[in-house]
Amino acid sequence: MSTQPATTSAGILARLSPHGRLVGLDAARGLALLTMMITHIFPLTDEAMPTWATVFSGRASALFAVLAGCSLVLSTRSTLAATGRLRDVAPGVLVRAASIIVIGLVLGAITTNLAVILVNYGVMFGIALLFLRLRAWALFTLAGVWMVVSPIVSMWLRSSFGLEPSYLPMSWTDLGSLQNAVVELVLTGYYPILQWMAYILLGMAVAKIDIGKHLTALFVAGVALVFIGRGSSWLLLNVAGGMQELEAVAAASGADLTAALFVNSYGVTPPDSWWWLAIAGPHSATPFDLISTAGTSLAAIAVCQAAAILLGRRAWLLAPLSAPGSMPLTVYAAHVVLVEITHPFFQPAPMIESGDPVKLTTEYAIHAVSFIVFAIVWKLFVSPRGPLEGVIASLVKAVSPKRPEREESREGSGGV
C-alpha cells in the first residue's frame, strides 16, 4: 500500500508549523489579534458600566507589543551572532520600521473607529536598535526599570506643560505639525512610546533566552507580575487612601473614575493628580498597568509555547491562532480596513455603549473567521509569509548585506 498520500498530507500540514519556527509565539500573536478584535467590536461599557470585553482591554495590545519585541530579536539574531556588527542589521530594521510607519499612516487616514498602533511600533523599532545587542538579563532589568520610571517622567512632563490625553489615529495630516505629532507619539497618544518601549524591551529580553527551557519560569514570573501590579495598586487605592483622593479629583474635573479603573484611559491618565499613577486600569500606562499587563503577556506566551511543544508534530492544530499570528501586519491592517466596512452595517452609531449582541457577534465572527481561513489557506498554498510581510521581507533583503541562512529568518519578518 502506498504511503504517498499520507506523506503529501503531512508535508502540507507541516507548512502550518514549519520546522525551526516558534509556533507558540505565532499562536500568542494570533491570540493577541483575535482578542484585540474583541475590544474593537464589542462595547467596553453598557450604561456606563464595564462589560465582559474589558477583560481584554489593554492586555491584548500589551501582548501584541511584547511579541513585537520578540520578533525584532528573532529576525536579526543569526546575523548579529555571525558578524557581531549592528550595522549589518540596522538597514533592514530601519527599512522595516519605515515600512510599518507608512502603512500605519495610510491606515490612520482610512479609519474613523480605531487608534492604529503601527506608527508607534515603527518608531519604537528604530529606537530598539540602540538596545539590540544587550543580553537578556540587561534587557529584563531595563524593561522593569522602564515600567516604573517612564510613567513618572510622563506625568511630570504632562503636568508641567498641561498636556492632555489625545485619542486620534495618526495619519499623514499630523505630519504638518511635527511638534504635535511627536508629543502625541511620545506622551499623550493612545500608545505613548515613552511607556510602551517597556513592552518592546521585555519582548526583546524574552527572545534572548531559550523560551522552551524557561516556560515555567516565564509563566510563574507572569503570574507574579500580575499579582504585584494589581495588588500594589489595590493597596495604594484602598489602604493608603488613594481612592478617596481620586474620587475628589474626578468629581472636580469630571473625569470618569470607573472607566479609568476598569475600562480604558485612552493611553495615559489625566495629569491633574499624581494619585492617578496608582491605578492599574487598561491603557492607563501607569507602573501598575505596565507591570500587570507585562505579566499577562509573559503567561500567555508561556502557555502558547507550551501547547506547541506538547503537540509536537501536531502543532498545526494551533493553526486557527498560529496562522493569522504568523502574518500579524497583514491581518491587523486588513482588520482595520474591514472595520470601516462592517461597522456601518452592524454598529451604525459611532462609539456606542450598547448594541445588539447578535449583530456584534456576527461582526466579530466575520472578522475572526475570515482572517483565520485566509491565513491558513495562504500558508498552505501560497507562502509562509503574509502578503505585507513578504513585501517588507523583500525590501529588507534588498538593503541588507548578504547573511547566513537562519532557521528563524521568517520569524517577525515584516511583522509587528
Side-chain angles (χ1 to χ4, degrees):
M1 182 178 292
S2 174
T3 60
Q4 185 64 33
T7 303
T8 303
S9 176
I12 292 175
L13 289 175
R15 297 175 188 173
L16 297 176
S17 55
H19 174 70
R21 188 172 178 95
L22 295 172
V23 177
L25 294 192
D26 286 337
R29 281 193 206 91
L31 179 65
L33 286 165
L34 294 177
T35 53
M36 194 186 301
M37 291 177 195
I38 289 176
T39 66
H40 293 166
I41 292 173
F42 290 92
L44 299 178
T45 58
D46 186 5
E47 297 181 355
M49 295 304 294
T51 69
W52 65 272
T54 58
V55 171
F56 307 105
S57 183
R59 296 179 178 91
S61 50
L63 175 57
F64 203 45
V66 172
L67 288 163
C70 291
S71 178
L72 183 61
V73 168
L74 293 172
S75 64
T76 57
R77 183 168 60 186
S78 286
T79 300
L80 278 180
T83 69
R85 298 189 300 264
L86 195 61
R87 66 174 181 267
D88 289 336
V89 299
V93 171
L94 293 176
V95 164
R96 179 183 175 194
S99 301
I100 292 172
I101 289 172
V102 169
I103 294 171
L105 291 173
V106 171
L107 293 176
I110 293 173
T111 184
T112 58
N113 295 285
L114 305 179
V116 178
I117 195 174
L118 296 185
V119 175
N120 307 60
Y121 273 2
V123 175
M124 288 190 288
F125 282 167
I127 296 172
L129 267 174
L130 301 174
F131 310 103
L132 200 53
R133 295 182 66 179
L134 293 181
R135 295 183 177 181
W137 68 267
L139 286 166
F140 277 121
T141 302
L142 184 59
V145 172
W146 208 293
M147 290 177 195
V148 175
V149 174
S150 63
I152 297 173
V153 174
S154 173
M155 176 63 84
W156 174 67
L157 290 172
R158 289 183 295 111
S159 60
S160 298
F161 294 97
L163 302 175
E164 294 293 334
S166 61
Y167 182 48
L168 296 172
M170 183 158 289
S171 66
W172 298 103
T173 57
D174 294 287
L175 300 181
S177 177
L178 192 57
Q179 179 178 342
N180 290 340
V182 171
V183 169
E184 183 176 337
L185 278 171
V186 177
L187 290 170
T188 63
Y190 200 62
Y191 307 101
I193 288 173
L194 180 58
Q195 289 100 309
W196 277 68
M197 269 303 300
Y199 294 130
I200 301 294
L201 293 169
L202 179 61
M204 292 171 68
V206 170
K208 293 271 186 173
I209 65 174
D210 188 332
I211 297 174
K213 292 182 178 179
H214 295 87
L215 290 178
T216 301
L218 283 177
F219 181 78
V220 171
V223 172
L225 288 175
V226 173
F227 277 100
I228 291 170
R230 306 294 297 188
S232 299
S233 174
W234 186 89
L235 288 173
L236 285 172
L237 294 176
N238 296 283
V239 177
M243 188 66 74
Q244 290 82 358
E245 295 287 340
L246 287 179
E247 286 173 347
V249 170
S253 65
D256 189 337
L257 181 56
T258 299
L261 291 172
F262 305 109
V263 182
N264 207 322
S265 288
Y266 300 107
V268 289
T269 60
D272 53 2
S273 172
W274 285 87
W275 274 108
W276 285 113
L277 290 186
I279 72 172
H283 285 294
S284 58
T286 68
F288 307 108
D289 171 38
L290 296 176
I291 290 170
S292 62
T293 51
T296 55
S297 299
L298 291 182
I301 289 171
V303 169
C304 289
Q305 185 58 26
I309 292 173
L310 289 173
L311 287 169
R313 294 181 179 179
R314 296 185 178 181
W316 54 266
L317 291 171
L318 293 173
L321 291 177
S322 63
S326 69
M327 50 187 78
L329 183 59
T330 295
V331 172
Y332 179 85
H335 164 66
V336 171
V337 174
L338 187 57
V339 162
E340 298 303 308
I341 298 172
T342 59
H343 261 27
F345 290 97
F346 297 99
Q347 303 186 43
M351 304 300 290
I352 61 172
E353 292 191 346
S354 61
D356 184 337
V358 174
K359 288 185 177 181
L360 295 172
T361 303
T362 301
E363 183 180 12
Y364 178 74
I366 290 172
H367 284 254
V369 174
S370 297
F371 295 125
I372 290 172
V373 171
F374 168 80
I376 291 175
V377 172
W378 185 272
K379 285 181 71 71
L380 285 176
F381 302 108
V382 182
S383 171
R385 291 191 178 103
L388 290 179
E389 286 77 9
V391 171
I392 293 180
S394 298
L395 294 175
V396 169
K397 184 178 180 180
V399 301
S400 300
K402 188 175 182 180
R403 55 193 186 276
E405 291 295 322
R406 57 192 186 273
E407 288 183 343
E408 72 277 18
S409 62
R410 291 188 299 273
E411 179 67 47
S413 298
V416 292

